[in-house]
Amino acid sequence: MTRKEKELEEEISKIWNILIYVKDCYDYSYYIHKPETSEEADYLKNSQDFEFIRHILWRMAIIEIAKLFCNSAKRDRYNLRHFISKLKKAGQFGDSGINVTTIEKWEAQFSLNEVLINDVITIRDKVYAHTDPNKEEYTKIEISFKKIDDLINIAEDVIREIFKTVFDSEVDFDSPLLDKNRNNIIKILAAEKRNRIEELALKYRNEK
């Protein structure tokens, strides 16, 4: 592996690691926001603890994905636009083998999602990462799970293409942290609450 290839591998690996953290926060937040059963939903609706946790997870997902889509390399070194500019013919990694058509496709996706990207960065800067004196002005900005999923897909496409074209290897975006069959704490807590209610109801009937 040449020196440039090592530098490229280091940069794309940093971007990959940021994206995996985004996905961890996103997936856990989605899991808590949209539980699988009505019993779990009822439990979460009445839990201040999980209300706080799911907000923090969503907040971190926004903060981290903003790093990948920020326009300034000075603020977020591993943002995708700056990275992709290095893949162009005159760029640092211009001989990496990524063709012009692919780069233009990525840039077109950035343009199509410009409003969303600006909203993400605004929420990161004005509401989540800093205490802006006028932050209430920005709380009306709505960013859905679907919109963040769109950005995640763009980032995955870039990372996947780099590993395939430059390093002739596959890349895994699945996190070992979230396994709904294993991480069933909400199901357990909801069931425990139901059992306690049933036990109290039975005790009350027996005492009458």
Side-chain angles (χ1 to χ4, degrees):
M1 184 180 292
T2 67
R3 181 177 61 83
K4 275 193 177 182
E5 286 175 336
K6 288 180 180 178
E7 291 174 355
L8 177 56
E9 182 184 40
E10 180 181 349
E11 288 209 22
I12 196 62
S13 294
K14 293 285 188 182
I15 292 170
W16 180 21
N17 288 336
I18 293 170
L19 181 63
I20 291 297
Y21 189 56
V22 169
K23 294 189 68 174
D24 283 340
C25 294
Y26 172 94
D27 287 341
Y28 272 109
S29 182
Y30 186 89
Y31 178 51
I32 298 174
H33 270 90
K34 301 180 182 294
E36 297 175 351
T37 66
S38 58
E39 184 177 62
E40 292 173 272
D42 182 66
Y43 178 86
L44 290 169
K45 183 175 66 176
N46 295 287
S47 172
Q48 290 184 337
D49 293 325
F50 277 104
E51 183 179 356
F52 174 76
I53 290 168
R54 69 187 179 187
H55 171 70
I56 292 301
L57 289 167
W58 175 252
R59 186 182 188 122
M60 289 307 301
I62 294 295
I63 289 172
E64 292 300 311
I65 203 164
K67 293 179 182 179
L68 297 180
F69 287 90
C70 183
N71 293 323
S72 172
K74 292 181 179 179
R75 296 189 59 196
D76 295 292
R77 177 180 175 184
Y78 297 106
N79 77 77
L80 287 167
R81 296 191 203 220
H82 179 59
F83 174 75
I84 288 171
S85 70
K86 296 181 181 181
L87 299 172
K88 295 181 178 181
K89 187 174 181 180
Q92 180 180 350
F93 306 123
D95 57 354
S96 63
I98 304 299
N99 62 54
V100 174
T101 303
T102 300
I103 294 173
E104 289 176 346
K105 180 192 73 173
W106 290 334
E107 291 181 331
Q109 288 176 326
F110 290 142
S111 296
L112 285 173
N113 289 278
E114 194 69 46
V115 173
L116 171 58
I117 291 169
N118 288 337
D119 283 347
V120 167
I121 294 170
T122 297
I123 289 294
R124 190 271 303 265
D125 291 347
K126 303 295 185 180
V127 181
Y128 290 163
H130 305 285
T131 303
D132 192 281
N134 300 314
K135 75 173 188 177
E136 294 301 322
E137 297 178 13
Y138 308 103
T139 55
K140 294 180 181 179
I141 296 175
E142 294 185 3
I143 301 174
S144 65
F145 282 103
K146 173 62 172 64
K147 290 179 179 179
I148 295 302
D149 197 41
D150 290 341
L151 296 185
I152 288 173
N153 289 334
I154 293 172
E156 285 185 350
D157 186 44
V158 174
I159 295 167
R160 186 182 294 110
E161 184 64 31
I162 298 298
F163 275 95
K164 179 182 177 181
T165 301
V166 181
F167 305 111
D168 192 27
S169 64
E170 300 295 324
V171 60
D172 186 9
F173 296 108
D174 293 329
S175 170
L177 292 179
L178 182 64
D179 180 347
K180 291 182 181 178
N181 295 319
R182 176 170 56 85
N183 296 318
N184 55 359
I185 186 171
I186 300 172
K187 283 188 174 70
I188 293 171
L189 291 172
E192 178 62 24
K193 180 181 178 181
R194 170 171 38 83
N195 291 337
R196 288 201 310 270
I197 292 172
E198 291 174 353
E199 288 172 2
L200 289 171
L202 179 61
K203 180 180 179 182
Y204 176 74
R205 286 196 298 269
N206 290 337
E207 289 177 349
K208 288 183 68 176

